[in-house]
Amino acid sequence: MKAEDTLWHQAGLDTCLLSELEALTQERLNDEVYWLPVRHHSPSCALMVQQAILTQRPEQVFIEAPVQYQDLLAELLDQGTKPPIAFYSSFSDTDNEFALAGITTPSEEIVAAMGSWMPLLEYSPEYVAIKTASQVGAKIVFIDLPAHISAFSVEREGEQQDKAALEQQQILNSRFFKMLTQAGHYHHWHECWDGLFESELLKRTEIHQFDAYRAKMAAFSAAVRLTTKLDQQTLVREGFMWQQIKDHWLPNATRKPMVVCGGLHMFMAKKKAEEHTRNAFGFGKEYHTIVPFSYERLSQHSGYKAGNRAPYFYQGLWQALIGNRTESENLYQQVQYLIDYARKKGEPLTASDAIASVQHAMMLGQLRHRESPILDDIVDAIFSCCCKGDPDREGQHLQRVLFEALTGNQQGKVSVAVEQLPLVKAFHLELALHNMDSKGEDREYEQHLKLDIRQPEQRAIAIFLRRLTYLKVPFAESISQQGNERLFQEQWSYCLTPGTQERLIELSQYGDTLEAVVTHQLQHLFSTSAAITDISEGLLIALDMALPQMVSQAHSLCQQALVNEHRFASLTQSFTNLLLCRQRLVLVDFSVESLVPLLQRCFSYANHALLTISNAPADEEDAIVQGLLQMCQVYLSDELAELDRDNFIQYLHQVADASTVPFLKGCFYGALMELKQRSTDDLAQEICRYQYTAPELMIECSLFIEGVVSLSHTSILLGAKEIVASIDVLLSQAEPPVFEQMVVHFRAAFERLSQLQRVRIADAVAQHYGLSEAEQLNLNIPLAAIHQLADLDNQVAEIMHSWFEFLEEEQ
Amino acid sequence: MAKTDEKIRAPLEQQYQEQLLALKQNDPDTPPPSWLLSPKMVLLFILGGETLNYKKGRKTQQVAITQKFFGDRRLVERAIITLASERALLLIGEPGTGKSWLSENLAAAICGNSTLTIQGTAGTTEEHIKYTWNIAKVIAEGYSRDNRVPSPTMVAMNQGGLLRFEEITRCVPDVQDSLVSILSDKSIAIPELPDDNMVWARPGFNLIATANSRDQGVNELSAALKRRFNYIHIPVVSDGATEQAIIAQRIAELTEQYQLTVSVQPDVIELLSRVFRELRQGRTEDGIKIKPVSSTLSTAESIAVLLDASLHAQYLGSGDVGARSLAENMVGAVVKEEANDRAVLAEYLNTIAKSRGATDSLWNAFYLAAKGAL
């Protein structure tokens, strides 16, 4: 191979490097093993691999895939398994052998865990190698280090990266690639690859062109390798891979074994594997299986860092390669598909646009020195011919639909022989237990459930669904309730979707059951939260999901967090959360005594925080109103006699008198009215004081009344008559502009009331103005109606009795 | 006194004659019909970056192909390919983004004639596009081919050259639509001459139009006409380094053209480019949000400001193009369309320029001069 004919010359590499590269490349191309350097998910590499195996028929094929997947070969080759699929492995370092608990995890109680995928498409070189090797009867051996071992056992700088993403980064950072990019005017790695390699084999006519392709791949990979800095993780992996090759080499093989691996690894140093990698195999708990995958997940834009930018497009290219289609046929088909797809999605495109795009793409490819047009040329051509304006504005919709079309929506299938992950299995078992499974029928439509959580079996279903919802598993959705049924009734809709299994697979690294996973997530939340609001909310969630064992951990964290919390809104919210937690614990017969001192302290802290909110800014008002409502509710209830209620009243008086913010002053006043510390007469007199004041003070009074109404829903109705009279006098003194401003606040105030309360106020206003007259009605109640009323009374009494039973048990 | 054959600005095919000849000599590919250069050589002419050997008589000299257009290479590639295809080319973008400049360079490189131009205005008529008549001769002799005054379109069709149509959206729609048949049938009908009633375009004929995206709503192209164009959007230069390179190159050319002796320092160009870019984007390079101005503040405008500053420095100033002369000439470019832009500029000066001026004497001089000018 002449150096001047190669990519090295194109990039302009210096001559001293060229001779080194030539020697290195030749040595590996003629090595004791037959190296097949590939790029993941490359159709042309897949074709090269297929042809090499079919023509040379090796006895052994080594493939760059993690070794733990070796035992899944049969399932992979099963007829029922169809790409896109992925090898999946979940690992949990249960005994903290890698000593990462508290280092890479937020606390020492949380062990390191990870999940890893190795996607395989119809045109992935590794998948094609497996299929073809199986066809010729070659022994298949996986040689790569499991992802969790290389991730956990090798120190590296910076963020942990997926293996494929790491390899890509090493290419991009190489001096050779940068020089090649500049010389070839490539805008990104994919364009460089496609331009140099991907479309080349469409023009093949001779079998030796596969050898030329392989040599070109080797030349590229060698140049990258010599001009980049390799990551320690890569070197450790390569040591392991070579060790695997040596250990599994068939001694009596008559033909060279083949090695299908990433291009960079073709030039791996032939050294022994590091000891720690071999020893790490016994650690922790590891599961692996084959899972369905999708083109959408694979697409770069879904976050898979070394993904495939256009999976469906490359599938088309693969089909053209194996179908022996010409480059023109492939181009026509691709463009026609894209134009057709865009038209169906609303773009006004015609056949003439398709013709123009094909012509444009071909000429662009030639101008850009390509063997045949690549994806970038096709997309550029379509935008030139079809987008009538700025691509980022007028072309936004076209961009979106092209992306959809190029990605595709293919989803893989996995044979029934493949064993499910424990979490997935546990999920399905629980579905069957609750009679919620589809019983083998292949249908996906929404089902509905009404649950009475007083019934143990139905409560169990509710807990199951709440856990799934908390974990964001797309399966069930709670439908909100109205009316009296809210307390013990829940309504859910559920439907099994592909996303359900995907999400469960992602979560499987955290546990084998839903309970284990939820517990892990909550522990993570507790470890990373410093605010008592978050911790108390987390505890409430835990209890809603029937995890009372989290109480002690949350309790001690709340104790610590409470010391640092000074904000009234947070304290009242936390208090409410803890109160609800207490109620939940009663329902499950769990001891609640430990929560009482915490509740007392929280209440006391909230009382003290009252003194800081007398002049709080407007953006905190809503939170303060909610907090005060909660405190008043607790005050009026019979629960928790230990709470310092007198202190609450004392501080409330203090802030009501001290506050200079009219709305807040009204809130405190309203709270005092609700707690019967001040009367409606007091309020009426307070309002009357503003009658003959300056306009701005009158407006302040309206804000004050708004604040009162926010808090005193009951007491204001009881004294509606007096309050309406005093407001009437106030308004009668106001000039029209002032009146208009005051009305805004009154409106806001009354909108906080319920419909019934507004009707009562309206009645009071109507009576004040003499607009409604009381009518004397003679009601003649029939006997049947009397009996019915009595029955209803009895039913209400029974309900109340059952509620009181809870209270008695608690005491 | 200027000589009678001197021009303010010669056509590009004359200005860059040597480069075009060098490219022709070194062209390895066959150009499309009527093209002087192959698409690859046209691309090289526009983007520059190489030095070619040019044999002139017995001597061989080195000719540097300079960069004419600073922007995305792919845009230029698509433009060139469009002109080699059946469709016409419409360059669209904000004012001052180089659409006309690119159009002129493409025409110069492809057909060697960038002067076949129609300027679109509200007063443009179909005659300007197709042909008109020498009325006096028609009255005297009747209609004949010799009495016909061909439009630039007709000349381009006859020569197989490129027609340039500037600001196409400023023409009324009925006039625009006269292009439909020209672009579809590649011919113009001349009903006045029954025996010679068609002018057919020679291979190589095509059209480059430009349109201002701000005014696109004025007279948007009809659907029928849109379909006959490939649109290429020329964005405003967002990269600081590229913008400075454009300004530096262009101001050097203009300095030579106007025979100025002043020199413009790179830090002055950098300051000008930065101010324009930040006011345009509504964000400083440090990420601080500021109010943007309503004016475009394109690269072309910054070149114009710098030229004004240079002329001022040469003839009325001290001979140095500094921050002061820059600031005095900049205000008029920034505060153009809306009165509110004055307040925006003032805020920028008081918040950004002043704080930079605390540590940089050039920014300080700029701040003080601009405040004075405002």
Side-chain angles (χ1 to χ4, degrees), chain B residues 237-372:
Chain B
V237 176
S238 57
D239 171 50
T242 305
E243 196 171 12
Q244 285 170 49
I246 296 171
I247 296 170
Q249 178 172 311
R250 192 70 191 116
I251 206 65
E253 290 169 0
L254 288 168
T255 303
E256 196 183 317
Q257 183 183 320
Y258 283 84
Q259 296 167 6
L260 301 175
T261 55
V262 296
S263 62
V264 182
Q265 298 306 313
D267 54 353
V268 170
I269 296 176
E270 197 263 328
L271 185 147
L272 168 66
S273 155
R274 197 170 177 189
V275 170
F276 265 46
R277 198 167 52 256
E278 289 176 345
L279 284 170
R280 186 171 63 224
Q281 291 176 352
R283 194 177 62 250
T284 69
E285 281 179 5
D286 317 318
I288 301 168
K289 275 191 85 168
I290 56 174
K291 286 185 199 148
V293 294
S294 61
S295 312
T296 319
L297 298 187
S298 61
T299 310
E301 283 175 272
S302 58
I303 293 169
V305 164
L306 199 50
L307 177 62
D308 289 345
S310 301
L311 288 164
H312 190 272
Q314 170 96 2
Y315 296 114
L316 299 171
S318 61
D320 279 325
V321 181
R324 192 192 159 100
S325 52
L326 194 70
E328 285 164 0
N329 287 282
M330 189 189 285
V331 173
V334 175
V335 184
K336 201 183 290 182
E337 289 176 17
E338 283 190 25
N340 191 45
D341 288 342
R342 180 176 285 275
V344 171
L345 178 59
E347 191 179 314
Y348 176 83
L349 292 171
N350 287 329
T351 54
I352 307 299
K354 187 177 178 183
S355 67
R356 286 177 186 160
T359 51
D360 187 315
S361 57
L362 185 66
W363 274 94
N364 189 44
F366 168 74
Y367 162 69
L368 292 170
K371 280 283 281 182

Side-chain angles (χ1 to χ4, degrees), chain A residues 184-185 187-188 191 350 352-354 356 359-361 363-364 366-369 376 380-381 383-391 393-394, chain B residues 39-41 43 72-87 92 94 213 216 220 226-233:
Chain A
H185 304 290
H187 286 84
H188 48 77
E191 186 192 352
T350 64
S352 73
D353 294 310
Q359 186 195 22
H360 203 98
M363 292 199 288
L364 269 181
Q366 281 171 17
L367 184 62
R368 292 168 175 172
H369 306 277
D376 302 79
D380 278 350
F383 268 94
S384 294
C385 299
C386 305
C387 174
K388 304 302 176 188
D390 180 357
R393 285 215 314 242
E394 287 83 6
Chain B
K40 285 177 188 165
M41 286 295 133
L43 186 65
D72 191 348
R73 182 188 182 90
R74 289 174 297 183
L75 293 181
V76 182
E77 288 169 342
R78 286 162 55 199
I80 294 170
I81 293 304
T82 297
L83 292 171
S85 73
E86 288 195 333
R87 289 194 176 185
I92 191 163
E94 293 281 310
S213 57
Q216 199 182 332
E220 200 171 330
K226 269 186 186 173
R227 282 196 54 250
R228 285 156 173 85
F229 279 96
N230 280 357
Y231 279 52
I232 287 177
H233 180 258

Side-chain angles (χ1 to χ4, degrees), chain A residues 145 149 240 243-244 247 273-282:
Chain A
L145 197 58
I149 294 181
F240 182 83
Q243 189 70 53
Q244 282 291 102
D247 289 347
E274 294 195 14
E275 212 49 48
H276 71 271
T277 58
R278 294 159 74 83
N279 294 339
F281 274 85

